[in-house]
Amino acid sequence: MKIFKYIRQKPFSINYDENYTILDLASLFLQTNNDSTIVVKDEKPIYIITNTDLINFFLQKDEALNIKEIIKKYPKHLIVIKQNSDVYDAYKQMRGASIEHLIVVDNNGKLIGEVYQKDLVMKFVEFALKDELTGLNNARFLDTIIQRYNGTKTNIGVIFIDIDDFKHFNDTFGHKVGDEVIQFVADKIKESIREVDFGFRYGGDEFVIMIFEQPKEIVLKIAKRIFDKITKSINDKYGKVGISVGISMYPQDNKDLEQVITLADKELYIAKNTGKGKIESVD
């Protein structure tokens, strides 16, 4: 993962040659609601002044000093990272230096923006719980949801989906098209469920959907909607996509949510073994 995706553009900066005093800078901080500024020379960052620095300057009665004088009196090593660096390298640098944000420069050393540790932490959490290809939740997050709702009285409809003859797409068109087919199915799932529901890429070409606090007839309607959106679409590149679907309900079909998912999986394979392109549900 490259750092350029997470850069906050246009950080607050001032030119080294501008005759700002610390008092001027404090006023600018208040006006712009910033907590730091980067000092640049010939568009290249050479120094950073934070809120903590300002407090120190005032305590030392240095508020009348200008930027050049401050840099001379309080030299510091400026930590920067290039825009094509890895996210994990940026995070390690910030942790190692105990800083909350990191200056990003281009290959010529010119200022581009900043990355913030809190942004990267949120992305790491997202990567841990999201499937990178589809943007759906991953199997790790499914385990978390199972633990969260198992043993509760929450009504959950489980829809288990598998792409029919998926190997055909990979063998005929290549893995890139295979990935596109998986993304296509994932997009139709995302279009068809509410924000309170969950869609998961279970693994390979399998998907699990959890529909919350809806009766079985509504869960069946949602499954049919997804089925129709996928199977009635024709793509110029890979043609038609077929899916098989299994449905079960928690806690009606079993009081163990993990077993309910297993039941939906079994219904899915009944659909596959009896002709594919079907929706089956626990009676």
Side-chain angles (χ1 to χ4, degrees):
M1 296 181 292
K2 298 301 181 183
I3 199 69
F4 65 82
K5 293 181 180 179
Y6 311 107
I7 297 172
R8 292 193 187 185
Q9 301 291 336
K10 301 293 183 184
F12 181 42
S13 63
I14 57 174
N15 198 288
Y16 173 76
D17 293 321
E18 294 182 80
N19 196 33
Y20 283 113
T21 65
I22 292 305
L23 195 58
D24 295 331
L25 196 55
S27 178
L28 280 173
F29 272 35
L30 288 173
Q31 292 172 28
T32 58
N33 198 31
N34 279 286
D35 60 4
S36 67
T37 185
I38 299 167
V39 181
V40 297
K41 187 176 183 180
D42 299 325
E43 300 181 50
K44 297 179 181 180
I46 61 170
Y47 199 79
I48 186 168
I49 299 173
T50 67
N51 266 334
T52 304
D53 292 328
L54 283 184
I55 293 169
N56 181 55
F57 300 152
F58 277 102
L59 289 174
Q60 298 300 322
K61 303 187 184 303
D62 287 331
E63 63 268 20
L65 297 183
N66 64 31
I67 299 301
K68 291 180 181 179
E69 291 168 333
I70 285 292
I71 293 174
K72 186 176 181 179
K73 185 172 182 179
Y74 300 100
K76 65 168 70 172
H77 173 63
L78 190 66
I79 303 173
V80 302
I81 193 166
K82 289 189 176 178
Q83 62 180 340
N84 57 353
S85 298
D86 188 84
V87 166
Y88 295 103
D89 289 338
Y91 181 71
K92 284 189 288 186
Q93 282 199 47
M94 283 187 274
R95 286 295 301 273
S98 298
I99 55 178
E100 296 298 321
H101 45 99
L102 189 59
I103 298 167
V104 184
V105 297
D106 64 16
N107 290 332
N108 296 316
K110 293 184 177 181
L111 176 66
I112 294 176
E114 290 178 285
V115 288
Y116 282 69
Q117 188 177 137
K118 62 183 178 181
D119 292 343
L120 299 189
V121 169
M122 290 307 298
K123 287 298 177 185
F124 293 153
V125 171
E126 183 179 321
F127 288 135
L129 301 178
K130 293 281 187 182
D131 174 62
E132 189 173 356
L133 178 63
T134 64
L136 290 172
N137 301 297
N138 61 22
R140 187 182 295 112
F141 188 50
L142 176 59
D143 290 339
T144 301
I145 295 300
I146 291 170
Q147 292 174 30
R148 166 68 180 83
Y149 288 99
N150 211 14
T152 70
K153 295 180 179 179
T154 306
N155 292 311
I156 304 173
V158 176
I159 303 171
F160 211 125
I161 294 173
D162 183 84
I163 301 173
D164 293 333
D165 303 312
F166 180 70
K167 188 174 182 294
H168 158 78
F169 294 108
N170 280 333
D171 292 348
T172 306
F173 304 106
H175 289 284
K176 187 174 183 295
V177 167
D179 285 349
E180 288 177 11
V181 171
I182 288 172
Q183 288 172 320
F184 164 74
V185 172
D187 288 343
K188 298 305 177 187
I189 290 171
K190 285 184 275 191
E191 289 172 12
S192 305
I193 63 176
R194 305 166 300 169
E195 287 188 9
V196 297
D197 302 320
F198 289 108
F200 306 86
R201 185 182 178 197
Y202 190 70
D205 60 323
E206 293 183 322
F207 303 85
V208 169
I209 302 163
M210 287 185 171
I211 307 297
F212 285 78
E213 299 294 3
Q214 294 291 340
K216 187 172 183 178
E217 55 266 29
I218 297 299
V219 176
L220 286 166
K221 281 184 180 179
I222 294 169
K224 183 68 164 56
R225 182 194 310 153
I226 295 169
F227 183 89
D228 288 344
K229 280 187 175 185
I230 293 169
T231 60
K232 291 183 178 179
S233 298
I234 298 177
N235 185 283
D236 292 337
K237 187 183 293 185
Y238 47 77
K240 203 169 183 179
V241 178
I243 59 171
S244 294
V245 181
I247 296 171
S248 59
M249 300 294 296
Y250 172 86
Q252 297 93 316
D253 295 328
N254 196 295
K255 296 191 186 307
D256 184 323
L257 183 52
E258 195 161 8
Q259 287 302 310
V260 171
I261 295 170
T262 299
L263 287 173
D265 191 21
K266 287 180 179 177
E267 293 298 319
L268 162 68
Y269 278 93
I270 290 172
K272 277 196 168 296
N273 292 331
T274 56
K276 301 177 184 177
K278 299 166 66 176
I279 299 174
E280 296 286 347
S281 68
V282 177
D283 295 331

